[in-house]
Amino acid sequence: MRAGSPQHARQGSKVVIFAALAGNLAIASAKLVAFAFTASSAMLTEAIHSFVDTGNQGLMYLGLRRGDRPADDSHPFGYGMEVYFWTFVVALLIFAVGGAVSIWEGVEKIRAPAEISQPWINFAVIGVAIVFEGTSFTVALREFNRVRSGGLLASIRRSKDPTVFAVVLEDSAALTGLLVAAAGLAASVWLHLAWADGAASCLIGALLILVAAFLANETRSLLTGEGASARVVRAIRETAARHPHVEQVREIQSLHVGPERILVGLSIEFAPSLSRAELDRAVRETAAQIAKVDGRIFEVFLRPDSPSADAY
């Protein structure tokens, strides 16, 4: 039996993505201009990182748009899992374009260091970038804090919406990378360590690869079919068990087919004394109550276990 299919707002995720996209595009342009004037390897790496992040926000927005398409014959439960796919693509881009290219550029600069001219430009751009990245990070973290419970890392692992926690991870890596770039630049200019700028690029690349690996693993888990959280499953069980004609909730299965869409299937033992009509009414009532447990539940399939259930 099917419950209703409520519409779920995605405005919070879109605000996070747009804030990150605008900030990253402005930062990337500024970093590229700084590299053109100073020839800093770390600054070029940071520019690449920001351009990759800008493209990533576009891909995640594409995932949201495609995921919002209504169900049809080929996708009877909707397109919500497109969000997971495009976030996985984002993780691959961070790894290949962000991490690998950054390490390659850093190694080249360690082997053949270039003199950094007008370093104050780099420091100015890094300062401005920290402000922009910090603003984007604050927006993403505030949105994530609205739904998280417990520690940040544990909440990320439990989250079913990668569009928000991906931005949190990207911006965290970006802020850390900016500090690493500043340290490498300072060591090159003031300590005359010619290799430090290239080494900073390698460290930034390694950081991006770690973030990409974590994000890819979390998205892989969502793509392969994660169930609802233990809290939601527990609430479903308690709600079903409260119906006066329910003898036992035998089995509950759930599946996220998108960040805001949960499919639920149950096997329930009803009182054996129920007539066919009474059982039918009890099934409808139970399914309707389960659908109200969480706004993301859009389908409830209930298999009754009762002598009157032979027609189901």
Side-chain angles (χ1 to χ4, degrees), residues 237-255:
R237 183 177 296 277
E238 292 171 353
T239 298
R242 279 197 297 268
H243 192 281
H245 295 313
V246 170
E247 298 278 316
Q248 182 182 359
V249 180
R250 293 188 179 277
E251 184 180 18
I252 298 176
Q253 294 179 323
S254 62
L255 177 67

Side-chain angles (χ1 to χ4, degrees), residues 173-251:
L175 287 169
T176 304
L178 287 167
L179 296 177
V180 172
L185 181 62
S188 295
V189 173
W190 294 324
L191 300 180
H192 306 292
L193 301 175
W195 52 266
D197 189 48
S201 293
C202 292
L203 287 175
I204 293 169
L207 173 65
L208 293 177
I209 287 175
L210 288 175
V211 169
F214 180 83
L215 181 58
N217 184 60
E218 290 303 307
T219 313
R220 173 202 56 79
S221 181
L222 291 167
L223 272 171
T224 52
E226 281 193 8
S229 68
R231 177 189 61 80
V232 172
V233 173
R234 184 168 58 251
I236 290 172
R237 183 177 296 277
E238 292 171 353
T239 298
R242 279 197 297 268
H243 192 281
H245 295 313
V246 170
E247 298 278 316
Q248 182 182 359
V249 180
R250 293 188 179 277
E251 184 180 18

Side-chain angles (χ1 to χ4, degrees), residues 25 43-44 50 75 89 111 161 179 201 219 242 252 276 291 298:
L25 185 59
M43 192 53 59
L44 176 59
S50 294
H75 291 77
V89 172
R111 294 173 58 188
D161 188 354
L179 296 177
S201 293
T219 313
R242 279 197 297 268
I252 298 176
R276 178 66 178 79
F298 75 104

Side-chain angles (χ1 to χ4, degrees), residues 6-205:
Q7 297 295 321
H8 299 284
R10 304 288 296 149
Q11 193 60 34
S13 295
K14 291 178 181 177
V15 168
V16 170
I17 289 174
F18 286 143
L21 190 151
N24 282 322
L25 185 59
I27 293 167
S29 301
K31 289 174 180 176
L32 197 60
V33 171
F35 166 74
F37 278 98
T38 65
S40 167
S41 173
M43 192 53 59
L44 176 59
T45 299
E46 279 295 310
I48 293 171
H49 178 189
S50 294
F51 275 120
V52 170
D53 283 351
T54 302
N56 290 345
Q57 313 315 320
L59 288 176
M60 284 192 283
Y61 180 67
L62 175 64
L64 284 178
R65 288 293 301 271
R66 292 182 63 83
D68 281 342
R69 289 179 296 169
D72 54 30
D73 290 341
S74 64
H75 291 77
F77 298 125
Y79 290 81
M81 295 188 78
E82 287 245 12
V83 176
Y84 301 153
F85 169 77
W86 289 107
T87 307
F88 187 77
V89 172
V90 164
L92 297 180
L93 285 175
I94 295 174
F95 182 93
V97 182
V101 171
S102 296
I103 291 176
W104 176 81
E105 173 67 19
V107 170
E108 289 298 308
K109 289 299 182 182
I110 291 174
R111 294 173 58 188
E115 182 180 356
I116 298 175
S117 60
Q118 304 181 66
W120 64 269
I121 296 177
N122 284 343
F123 285 118
V125 170
I126 288 174
V128 171
I130 287 175
V131 173
F132 277 105
E133 291 286 7
T135 301
S136 174
F137 176 75
T138 300
V139 172
L141 188 60
R142 183 171 60 240
E143 184 64 27
F144 188 67
N145 284 339
R146 289 178 57 252
V147 296
R148 85 170 190 174
S149 59
L152 180 62
L153 185 59
S155 296
I156 288 175
R157 298 188 70 90
R158 288 194 298 266
S159 175
K160 311 300 181 182
D161 188 354
T163 59
V164 176
F165 72 69
V167 175
V168 172
L169 290 172
E170 282 187 355
D171 287 347
S172 299
L175 287 169
T176 304
L178 287 167
L179 296 177
V180 172
L185 181 62
S188 295
V189 173
W190 294 324
L191 300 180
H192 306 292
L193 301 175
W195 52 266
D197 189 48
S201 293
C202 292
L203 287 175
I204 293 169

